[in-house]
Amino acid sequence: MLEIKNLHASVEGKEILKGVTLTVKDGEVHALLGPNGSGKSTLSYIIAGHPKYTVTKGEIRLNGKDVLKMKPEERALEGAFLAFQYPMEIQGVNVFNFLFQMAKTRQKKLSPVQFRKQVEATCVELGFDKQFLDRELNVGFSGGEKKRAEVLQLMLANPSLAILDETDSGLDADALKTVAKALQTLRKPGFSALVITHYARLLNYLEPDVVHVMKDGKVVMSGGASIAHEIEKHGYKAIEAQEAKK
Ligand SMILES: Nc1ncnc2c1ncn2[C@@H]1O[C@H](COP(=O)(O)OP(=O)(O)OP(=O)(O)O)[C@@H](O)[C@H]1O
Ligand SMILES: [Mg+2]
């Protein structure tokens, strides 16, 4: 489903990604860990098509298609969805209208009344007060509320590839459980996810198929969930020690 091969990318002349190779197969959930500044958000922005970054080498394929040749909106229509690490406040844009416009790109004849019911049901599933639907997108939302609003968009967008960039950071213990449970309902053929996180806690609920560790613009280790627990206990030194042994 998602295939990244030897991806090199830079921003303002500085090379950030230095040969990322990563494959997420259909139906799989992968976790991506890595120290601050290792390039995780950069990778997710590049998959989504942020114009700030220049890809200098390598390829990204989504459902077999060359993503780098597609505009950001074409990538979204192909099923890519990015839940931002730092969701932006967008003044003057009502949450419900935003979600409705998003859904209408796929279902031209969608009824607002019918869609409102669907959105409210998803709010209940996420433990997200439906009053947020009548506010401006993320404006004045707390950190955790912004993250829940991202997950609400994700659930309604029904993507084939969801990238969650530290969606768990800022969520309280109960919200984390509710969100993880909701994300678990999406697990099925035709849905894959790349979950960027610093904590093993979310992974206890999500049970990723593969855990990757990124360091200095490269994926330096891939394996089972035990990697995340090892890092949580001993920090990235544990990984460095294993790398040195190779
Ligand atoms: N415009 C820029 N100019 C120079 N360096 C930049 C620029 N934008 C990003 N970087 C650098 O790219 C590196 C990767 O940043 P990125 O946000 O991808 O890290 P990350 O792995 O997501 O970190 P975190 O865990 O803190 O979210 C960082 O060192 C950052 O300072
Ligand atoms: Mg980041």
Side-chain angles (χ1 to χ4, degrees), residues 148-197:
R148 279 203 242 197
E150 291 292 290
V151 179
L152 176 66
Q153 290 163 46
L154 189 163
M155 303 283 293
L156 293 161
N158 195 21
S160 58
L161 173 72
I163 304 167
L164 293 105
D165 193 356
E166 294 196 31
T167 302
D168 51 341
S169 301
L171 288 180
D172 66 51
D174 295 339
L176 183 76
K177 249 191 222 172
T178 320
V179 163
K181 220 168 129 191
L183 290 172
Q184 282 288 43
T185 66
L186 300 178
R187 286 191 83 148
K188 56 181 180 287
F191 174 81
S192 305
L194 186 62
V195 180
I196 299 169
T197 183

Side-chain angles (χ1 to χ4, degrees), residues 27 58 81 86 166 205 229 232 239:
F81 183 96
Y86 302 111
E166 294 196 31
Y205 299 116
H229 294 286
E232 189 135 283
I239 299 298

Side-chain angles (χ1 to χ4, degrees), residues 105-136:
T105 57
R106 288 194 183 83
Q107 282 172 271
K108 297 268 180 288
K109 286 186 182 159
L110 188 65
S111 123
V113 177
Q114 204 57 35
F115 186 64
R116 180 90 194 188
K117 280 189 195 150
Q118 190 192 340
V119 176
E120 289 187 2
T122 311
C123 284
V124 171
E125 196 181 345
L126 291 173
F128 197 46
D129 195 318
K130 65 180 183 197
Q131 283 181 7
F132 284 97
L133 298 175
D134 301 312
R135 284 175 60 173
E136 291 172 289

Side-chain angles (χ1 to χ4, degrees), residues 11-12 14 16 35-42 85 166 198:
V11 61
E12 289 168 24
K14 183 183 172 199
I16 310 285
N36 294 134
S38 53
K40 306 178 298 296
S41 295
T42 302
Q85 180 174 5
E166 294 196 31
H198 284 296

